[in-house]
Amino acid sequence: MNTHKRPGSYATSLLIGALGLLIALSACGKSTVSQSNENGGSTTTTTDSKVKSTTTSAPAPPITGGDAAAVVANAHQLLKSQKAYRVRSTSTTSMGGQPMTSLREVVAPDRMHSVADGREIIVIGRTMYVKKGGAWQNMGTQGSDMSDKIKKGVEDMSPEERAAALKGLSADYKSLADEELDGVTTAVYEMHSQLDTQVEGVGAITTVTKIWISKSDGLIRKEVSDGNEAGMKVHTTRLYEYDPSITIEAPIS
């Protein structure tokens, strides 16, 4: 089977998973997340394994314009505090073929809906529903059980284990000029990442990702990634929408 016929192949998934692990590891322990509030001040939430606190002050601290890596990490963390959001993704490759599209919707605190690669999934709390052959099936809690195990495994990693998990992965960030995006003033950042897969015939996967972050609230508005995997180029665009009216319901009782 040729794993390079379309975006989302095995090796590209390795890079996505590794970058996700990098973000997860950076979020372990103590972290601070900042977002502008409706009064022009800011809400800063500081958490560790035992303490959770929220304070409000004015004026708002900079949520863009600081260290590029910190701003991007903060933007990803802010997704967890949104009432509801949607991400639309489109990918193409240098090998041609039809573009691949996907949709992911998240409603706090525990609902998710995704459509990708011909499969539709809904998660309500700890229960997962999967649409197969036009019919919905209740898969129980097996998906959330696995997710919990992975999360706990990341949280329990020793410094040595974290270093081993991220071996071969590197990421560098830089700030670009501000841009107007659909009437929103955004700070723009660029991330250069590389993963040495140590997979024969694949080798290193390199990706350049451009990220647009709203200067008013620190939220990601758009991402465009250009990757190179074993000579195949993958171009992916992700558009973020923050819509509190999104609803996700169980498809079957």
Side-chain angles (χ1 to χ4, degrees):
M1 178 178 178
N2 187 343
T3 60
H4 300 295
K5 288 185 178 180
R6 60 187 182 185
S9 65
Y10 170 70
T12 299
S13 297
L14 280 177
L15 179 56
I16 294 173
L19 291 174
L21 178 60
L22 179 63
I23 293 172
L25 290 176
S26 67
C28 287
K30 187 175 181 180
S31 62
T32 300
V33 178
S34 177
Q35 180 176 24
S36 295
N37 62 33
E38 61 184 1
N39 298 318
S42 67
T43 299
T44 301
T45 302
T46 302
T47 64
D48 58 26
S49 58
K50 297 181 180 179
V51 180
K52 291 185 179 180
S53 64
T54 301
T55 59
T56 300
S57 60
I63 49 179
T64 59
D67 176 74
V71 171
V72 172
N74 185 68
H76 280 284
Q77 285 290 93
L78 281 175
L79 289 174
K80 299 177 182 180
S81 65
Q82 301 309 302
K83 182 177 180 180
Y85 66 91
R86 177 184 295 115
V87 184
R88 300 181 188 274
S89 176
T90 303
S91 296
T92 58
T93 76
S94 57
M95 300 184 71
Q98 292 295 317
M100 284 189 65
T101 61
S102 68
L103 169 72
R104 182 166 63 96
E105 296 176 320
V106 177
V107 175
D110 57 5
R111 301 190 174 215
M112 187 275 292
H113 172 227
S114 70
V115 182
D117 201 19
R119 186 169 67 166
E120 188 169 3
I121 297 174
I122 289 178
V123 177
I124 305 288
R126 296 182 58 81
T127 303
M128 175 185 290
Y129 305 88
V130 178
K131 194 173 186 179
K132 295 182 177 180
W136 286 98
Q137 296 182 28
N138 186 331
M139 308 301 291
T141 65
Q142 56 181 311
S144 57
D145 290 342
M146 181 179 295
S147 178
D148 288 345
K149 288 180 181 179
I150 294 173
K151 181 179 179 182
K152 189 176 188 308
V154 170
E155 292 174 344
D156 292 344
M157 277 184 176
S158 66
E160 293 77 15
E161 288 172 328
R162 295 183 185 186
L166 296 174
K167 184 178 181 180
L169 173 67
S170 61
D172 296 311
Y173 299 78
K174 68 178 181 179
S175 299
L176 304 179
D178 292 354
E179 293 184 18
E180 289 291 317
L181 182 66
D182 297 327
V184 176
T185 302
T186 64
V188 186
Y189 300 90
E190 193 171 82
M191 177 181 71
H192 291 246
S193 55
Q194 179 171 308
L195 173 64
D196 184 358
T197 66
Q198 298 185 8
V199 176
E200 186 176 356
V202 176
I205 306 171
T206 59
T207 304
V208 177
T209 304
K210 189 175 179 181
I211 307 160
W212 288 258
I213 298 177
S214 170
K215 299 190 73 170
S216 64
D217 55 23
L219 294 171
I220 300 173
R221 301 292 172 168
K222 181 179 179 180
E223 292 177 325
V224 174
S225 298
D226 286 288
N228 193 319
E229 172 193 325
M232 180 182 71
K233 299 183 185 301
V234 181
H235 179 83
T236 302
T237 299
R238 287 176 289 274
L239 300 176
Y240 290 74
E241 305 169 20
Y242 302 91
D243 182 358
S245 70
I246 296 172
T247 58
I248 300 174
E249 303 297 337
I252 55 178
S253 58

